[in-house]
Amino acid sequence: MSKLHILIIEDAEADFLLLARHIRHSGLAVELHWVKTLEAQDAALNQRAWDLILSDYKIPGFNFEENLASLKQRFPEIPVILISGSIGEETAVDLLKSGLADFVLKDRLFRLIPAIERCLAEQSERKQRQRAEQIQQFNHHLLELVQRHSALDELLPAFVRAVKTFTGCDAVGVRVVDERGNIPYQAHDGFSRNFLALESPLSLKEDQCMCIYVLRGETTGNHSFFTPFGSFYLNEVSKFLAILPSEEKKKLRCVCNLEGFESIALVPFKSGPEILGLIHVADAREHQLPPELVAVLEGAMRHLGYVFERARTESRLGER
């Protein structure tokens, strides 16, 4: 289980230490951050993502109800659990209606860990449902694009924009293998002119880079960054290159890394077993392309494979 990041809002040090000891003794893998003021809370919220917020009710300097409303508006995905010395039943019910995830009395801290586990389980279920809905909407949108645009020069830019919006990544491009074995970008968004000038002229026959390995189907090793579908992805490019043997590094152009990209995915699209091209997704941040997202992109590439096969069929029919 990955480490949980919990923000604790409490003005009394003794109460914070009691909470911290109780949480750590539970065996949960946690990183706790303690704040005592509204300003410190806001600074912490801007510094990183939090899995959970624990807050006292009476803290000098801010109103709990107002702070809860602000938190739910700005960070609706973060559960908030109230830790209180005493709170009336009517107030507790009103707070639960306003978005409070749960409340635990300070003299009943045996309820804290079950409350945390329940909140996190519910949060995980919500995220899974939301993600499933997003994936469904994404695939529906791609299908609409395929049906709307019969010409590739119209479809590919729209396809690239859709992938860029869905992934939230800095750059997306589509490389297509032409009749001479060249692999230019036929649509792109977010790559610099310098990058495109260096990368677009590549050829399957003359060059070496990870794009070419994917397009040749040479991704069948046991490396964790290759998928059974034939995709390549890496989420810590600089760290990977730093430990790569020099002889292996010489085989790679490393232009993506020179451009500042740390997360990269190269996902092929095919007609049957034949690889026709790939979609290149890149971001300057680490860990932006996890295997779950790469799998979604692999499913999306079936749309492109169908479109290119349709274009080929129409071209053959036009030649008769």
Side-chain angles (χ1 to χ4, degrees), residues 6-39:
I6 300 178
L7 179 63
I8 299 180
I9 308 167
E10 172 62 69
D11 64 314
E13 182 177 9
D15 286 346
F16 163 72
L17 293 174
L18 181 63
L19 284 174
R21 184 165 63 251
H22 195 84
I23 293 170
R24 291 192 174 110
H25 284 178
S26 72
L28 290 175
V30 296
E31 181 177 311
L32 305 176
H33 185 72
W34 174 36
V35 297
K36 298 188 288 184
T37 66
L38 185 62
E39 292 76 14

Side-chain angles (χ1 to χ4, degrees), residues 57 62-71 87 91 94-95 98:
Y57 185 72
F62 70 89
N63 178 281
F64 180 83
E65 285 86 351
E66 293 177 356
N67 193 48
L68 175 64
S70 175
L71 289 172
I87 185 173
T91 300
D94 288 341
L95 290 171
S98 299

Side-chain angles (χ1 to χ4, degrees), residues 165-225:
T165 299
F166 175 72
T167 61
C169 287
D170 295 330
V172 176
V174 173
R175 306 188 87 140
V176 180
V177 181
D178 67 18
E179 64 277 3
R180 296 185 299 274
N182 298 325
I183 55 171
Y185 285 91
Q186 290 201 2
H188 52 83
D189 188 345
F191 292 114
S192 70
R193 289 183 178 180
N194 182 62
F195 178 86
L196 294 169
L198 290 171
E199 288 292 287
S200 274
L202 296 189
S203 167
L204 292 178
K205 301 174 182 178
E206 300 174 2
D207 297 297
Q208 283 188 314
C209 75
M210 195 54 68
C211 282
I212 289 172
Y213 297 150
V214 170
L215 291 170
R216 287 175 178 165
E218 298 174 358
T219 58
T220 57
N222 295 320
H223 300 295
S224 60
F225 38 77

Side-chain angles (χ1 to χ4, degrees), residues 42-186:
D42 290 343
L45 288 168
N46 290 328
Q47 286 173 358
R48 64 155 301 116
W50 299 94
D51 297 300
L52 182 70
I53 296 174
L54 306 179
S55 177
D56 194 1
Y57 185 72
K58 294 182 179 180
I59 298 178
F62 70 89
N63 178 281
F64 180 83
E65 285 86 351
E66 293 177 356
N67 193 48
L68 175 64
S70 175
L71 289 172
K72 298 314 295 180
Q73 182 178 15
R74 295 162 57 201
F75 306 97
E77 73 285 357
I78 306 178
V80 180
I81 297 179
L82 170 63
I83 312 294
S84 175
S86 61
I87 185 173
E89 182 177 345
E90 186 175 342
T91 300
V93 170
D94 288 341
L95 290 171
L96 290 171
K97 291 179 179 177
S98 299
L100 184 69
D102 207 340
F103 69 92
V104 176
L105 297 177
K106 289 184 177 180
D107 61 355
R108 297 185 180 181
L109 286 184
F110 62 87
R111 286 195 61 249
L112 179 59
I113 302 306
I116 289 175
E117 291 175 340
R118 181 187 61 78
C119 287
L120 294 175
E122 291 178 352
Q123 179 193 44
S124 177
E125 289 177 4
R126 283 195 301 272
K127 286 182 176 179
Q128 289 176 10
R129 287 196 301 270
Q130 291 170 354
R131 191 56 175 166
E133 291 173 1
Q134 291 171 349
I135 293 170
Q136 185 178 31
Q137 292 171 0
F138 172 58
N139 281 307
H140 182 69
H141 179 50
L142 295 183
L143 186 58
E144 286 183 334
L145 292 177
V146 168
Q147 294 172 342
R148 186 186 314 154
H149 300 292
S150 57
L152 288 175
D153 59 352
E154 295 177 353
L155 172 64
L156 292 183
F159 207 93
V160 162
R161 288 192 297 270
V163 172
K164 190 168 184 282
T165 299
F166 175 72
T167 61
C169 287
D170 295 330
V172 176
V174 173
R175 306 188 87 140
V176 180
V177 181
D178 67 18
E179 64 277 3
R180 296 185 299 274
N182 298 325
I183 55 171
Y185 285 91
Q186 290 201 2

